[in-house]
Amino acid sequence: MIRRRQLFQTVAGLGLSSIGVAALAQPRKIVLGQSAAFSGPASALGQQFKIGAQLLFDQTNARGGINGRPVELLSLDDGYEPDRCAENTKKLIDSGVFALFGYVGTPTGLIALPLATAARVPWITPFTGAEALRSPFNRYAFHVRASYFDETAEIVRHLTFAGLNRIGVMYQNDSYGKTGLEGVTRAMKPLGIEPVGLGTVERNTVDVDVAVKSIMAGKPDAIVQISAYKSCAAFVRAARKAGFNGNLYNVSFVGTQALSTELGTDARGVVVSQVMPYPFAPLSALAHEYLNAGKSALGDKFAPNYSSIEGYAAAKTLVEGLRRGGNNASPENLVTGLESLRDFNLGGFVVDFSPQKHAASKYVDLVILTSDGRLRR
């Protein structure tokens, strides 16, 4: 157990805000640690996820917190780089956070989860669908979103049902991209088909020209992209310039609104799989609650999107786990509380955990981007 003096020294070393210092200095607060991309080419993902989560935490605190204990989210920027994420995670664990929450990305998650597990700190609701973070089973890891295997299976099913069997894949050259590629090939194998062309892009770059040439050589009907929004947008433009007129499919991690904004009028015909309910209208109770919270807190500045409703749903799940953990909140009680969420309805989005199952959902939907920045289901 870290003593109060050590705690202040550790927090000072983090370079955190005075709010963060105050949060850790007050033992009655439930302090959650987050390392995510708040700068760099994937920054919109971390920023929007945090906005949605903070809406829910603010609501919770306004209602008295968890048995009188407010929830505090302490966020550090890793720029979507594993080394920075590892450093942040060690600092957060050493400073005594209650749990780690809302990490963004596969390469960062793969380096953070072993650190959390070794310290027996729950690692809750990461913004990634990588199978390597779900299998083998880990008592301290909980996933709210569907996996990339679920998303890519739905994309392949949708394409092949329409008779489009010539599928190319552009993927980020790291654990995230390779997981997505594996998901596509796994879904295609029972159908007796395989990708007609592959191309890679390095993480946090937009160097896509070689990938475009490699994939276009296979004359694909459609192209699946497994990367971040800036590189995917660059690929879309380059592929169109090279004469590709088919649809381009993305998994949810791309960041739908960020991709749409990046593409502008070039967004037409781009499809994105989604793991959360539609966030732009109150078509579900969860979306209704989320929209009201956003408008109440941010007014006209609130811009709903899939990334922030995921943060809201993730935070709502965590808070319910804390409540079910009982009056003496502890990391172990949080694990038990989350495991009790059997078929728990967040409002049109069901979370189903158990002591043997820490992946809560297989919900996948598809939306099409339009040239005016809107989404069509």
Side-chain angles (χ1 to χ4, degrees), residues 22-241:
L24 288 176
Q26 299 179 33
R28 286 191 57 77
K29 289 191 175 183
I30 297 174
V31 183
L32 308 173
Q34 179 188 31
S35 179
F38 298 111
S39 64
S43 59
L45 306 180
Q47 292 166 3
Q48 292 301 327
F49 186 97
K50 183 180 177 181
I51 287 171
Q54 196 62 59
L55 290 175
L56 192 284
F57 291 142
D58 288 345
Q59 283 183 320
T60 300
N61 292 339
R63 296 167 183 163
I66 306 299
N67 297 315
R69 299 178 65 180
V71 179
E72 184 88 19
L73 179 59
L74 202 56
S75 300
L76 300 178
D77 180 23
D78 59 36
Y80 192 35
E81 291 292 350
D83 290 347
R84 291 174 63 185
C85 179
E87 182 180 355
N88 288 346
T89 302
K90 291 172 185 175
K91 289 177 178 178
L92 290 166
I93 291 173
D94 288 347
S95 65
V97 294
F98 189 91
L100 298 171
F101 167 84
Y103 275 49
V104 173
T106 302
T108 47
L110 287 172
I111 204 164
L113 181 55
L115 298 173
T117 303
R120 296 184 179 181
V121 175
W123 194 69
I124 312 297
T125 62
F127 190 2
T128 169
E131 197 67 24
L133 296 167
R134 299 162 182 249
S135 181
F137 176 83
N138 186 320
R139 184 170 186 270
Y140 294 99
F142 289 83
H143 303 267
V144 165
R145 59 168 24 237
S147 74
Y148 293 143
F149 286 0
D150 295 324
E151 292 188 66
T152 51
E154 178 60 20
I155 289 172
V156 170
R157 187 201 67 78
H158 178 81
L159 285 170
T160 54
F161 183 79
L164 303 176
N165 296 317
R166 298 186 62 79
I167 302 170
V169 184
M170 187 279 280
Y171 63 99
Q172 193 165 284
N173 189 26
D174 62 7
S175 52
Y176 159 51
K178 291 173 183 177
T179 296
L181 173 62
E182 182 184 356
V184 174
T185 56
R186 282 169 60 108
M188 295 175 77
K189 187 174 181 179
L191 304 174
I193 57 176
E194 58 185 28
V196 297
L198 302 176
T200 63
V201 62
E202 298 302 316
R203 183 176 59 247
N204 284 341
T205 75
V206 292
D207 300 325
V208 298
D209 290 345
V210 173
V212 171
K213 291 179 182 178
S214 176
I215 294 171
M216 289 296 289
K219 298 181 180 180
D221 298 323
I223 301 172
V224 180
Q225 302 183 116
I226 314 290
S227 193
Y229 60 92
K230 283 190 178 291
S231 55
C232 285
F235 185 92
V236 170
R237 291 196 180 97
R240 296 296 191 216
K241 188 176 180 180

